Amino acid sequence: MKLSNTFTFIRILYAPIFLILYFLPIWTGIPSAISLIISIPLLIFAEFTDYLDGHYARKRNEVSDFGKMFDPFADVFLHLSTFVCYMFSAGTMGGYVNPVIFILLMWREISQNFLRMVAAKQGTAIAARKGGKYKTVLYIFSGFYALFLELLVRLNAVPDCFGALKLASSILFILCVVLSYASFIDYLRHFGKVLKQ
């Protein structure tokens, strides 16, 4: 496997690992922060591989149509996996992602992947556009923010303003929906002719 694709595969590999680490205290009933303390640096590295795969693809001349599809797929696989986790909390105050918000994000990502598959069948590889990259950055920021709130819960360090902090999390994920659909419309504007064909 090419080095760039190996870095991409790390994100897919880490998604179930993160899910297990996140839910372990919830499944066992022990609200321990250890699993999150382990998972946070691993998640940071997994997100960093998004830069590494592109860097080495260009540096080693490994840019390919497969990589252009594999990279965004790995992003979606990891982010939707973490967002599922953020719908739940080890505490009693509920999760950080509303299920309706998650479903809207999932619909967008499934539709985007469908567009990529149709385009690939027509011989066109859809690479990430600026709007999609901005959306990914917002996904990452919102995800780490929710993870920070959950860490506070598991450390029993919930501040009095936690309700306001959770509201901010809800706003961030609503912005994720807005930006994700705006970028999807942009993809349709540029590649919609593939669907017409």
Side-chain angles (χ1 to χ4, degrees):
M1 184 183 288
K2 296 176 181 178
L3 180 62
S4 56
N5 291 336
T6 300
F7 282 123
T8 304
F9 183 68
I10 287 172
R11 296 201 293 286
I12 293 175
L13 185 65
Y14 182 63
I17 295 173
F18 179 86
L19 187 140
I20 292 170
L21 287 171
Y22 188 93
F23 279 108
L24 207 55
I26 297 175
W27 292 333
T28 60
I30 304 170
S32 169
I34 295 174
S35 63
L36 286 192
I37 292 170
I38 293 171
S39 66
I40 288 173
L42 294 176
L43 182 59
I44 290 172
F45 177 72
E47 295 290 5
F48 185 57
T49 61
D50 195 13
Y51 163 77
L52 293 175
D53 60 19
H55 172 75
Y56 282 102
R58 290 183 293 272
K59 183 177 180 180
R60 299 166 63 119
N61 197 27
E62 295 179 353
V63 176
S64 65
D65 288 346
F66 173 78
K68 290 177 182 177
M69 293 172 50
F70 192 37
D71 176 56
F73 172 78
D75 288 343
V76 170
F77 194 85
L78 176 61
H79 294 146
L80 289 185
S81 297
T82 58
F83 290 176
V84 165
C85 296
Y86 302 145
M87 287 194 288
F88 303 89
S89 172
T92 59
M93 303 181 188
Y96 314 98
V97 178
N98 185 290
V100 174
I101 294 295
F102 174 79
I103 290 171
L104 291 173
L105 292 172
M106 182 181 66
W107 284 347
R108 185 274 183 195
E109 299 302 345
I110 290 173
S111 300
Q112 178 68 29
N113 279 333
F114 176 75
L115 177 61
R116 280 197 166 92
M117 286 189 298
V118 172
K121 190 169 177 62
Q122 297 293 329
T124 302
I126 298 179
R129 293 179 56 78
K130 275 189 178 180
K133 291 179 179 178
Y134 293 147
K135 179 263 309 181
T136 298
V137 170
L138 185 58
Y139 275 17
I140 293 169
F141 180 80
S142 302
F144 275 108
Y145 182 79
L147 196 55
F148 167 71
L149 296 184
E150 179 63 11
L151 183 61
L152 291 179
V153 169
R154 297 188 188 192
L155 288 171
N156 291 318
V158 176
D160 293 336
C161 63
F162 193 73
L165 295 177
K166 278 196 68 177
L167 177 61
S169 177
S170 298
I171 293 171
L172 280 172
F173 282 106
I174 289 171
L175 290 175
C176 284
V177 171
V178 172
L179 189 54
S180 68
Y181 277 87
S183 70
F184 182 59
I185 291 169
D186 177 60
Y187 280 105
L188 286 177
R189 283 178 54 240
H190 285 84
F191 300 101
K193 60 183 179 182
V194 175
L195 293 176
K196 291 180 182 179
Q197 292 170 0

